[in-house]
């Protein structure tokens, strides 16, 4: 997320309400999530308004012409 001032993660585990991530260096953001095993869908929210699918992750259609990132918790 080059140039981002804030990044949040929103998914089906938190009713799509963005939870803040912590900046840890050159365009790296992190969070610790405690999730039960299962398949989850999420996107990142950059600077409070731009919904972004992170690169390098599996995706599925959101049914409205966009994509959702997939997180598989084992």
């Amino acid at each position: 997320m080059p140039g981002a001032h804030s990044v949040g993660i929103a998914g089906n585990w938190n009713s799509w309400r963005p939870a803040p991530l912590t900046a840890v260096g050159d365009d790296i953001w992190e969070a610790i999530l405690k999730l039960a095993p299962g398949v989850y869908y999420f996107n990142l929210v950059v600077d409070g308004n731009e919904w972004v699918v992170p690169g390098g992750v599996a995706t599925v259609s959101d049914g409205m012409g966009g994509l959702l990132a997939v997180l598989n918790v084992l």
Side-chain angles (χ1 to χ4, degrees):
M1 306 299 133
H5 298 288
S6 67
V7 178
I9 187 168
N12 60 335
W13 66 85
N14 67 359
S15 300
W16 296 98
R17 289 178 292 200
L21 300 180
T22 301
V24 293
D26 298 328
D27 299 325
I28 299 172
W29 299 79
E30 73 176 8
I32 296 172
L33 304 172
K34 188 171 184 174
L35 300 172
V39 177
Y40 299 92
Y41 304 100
F42 72 98
N43 280 331
L44 301 178
V45 182
V46 179
D47 293 336
N49 61 6
E50 183 181 356
W51 289 73
V52 176
V53 175
V57 300
T59 60
V60 296
S61 170
D62 68 1
M64 297 179 285
L67 295 173
L68 298 173
V70 179
L71 174 63
N72 189 12
V73 177
L74 304 175

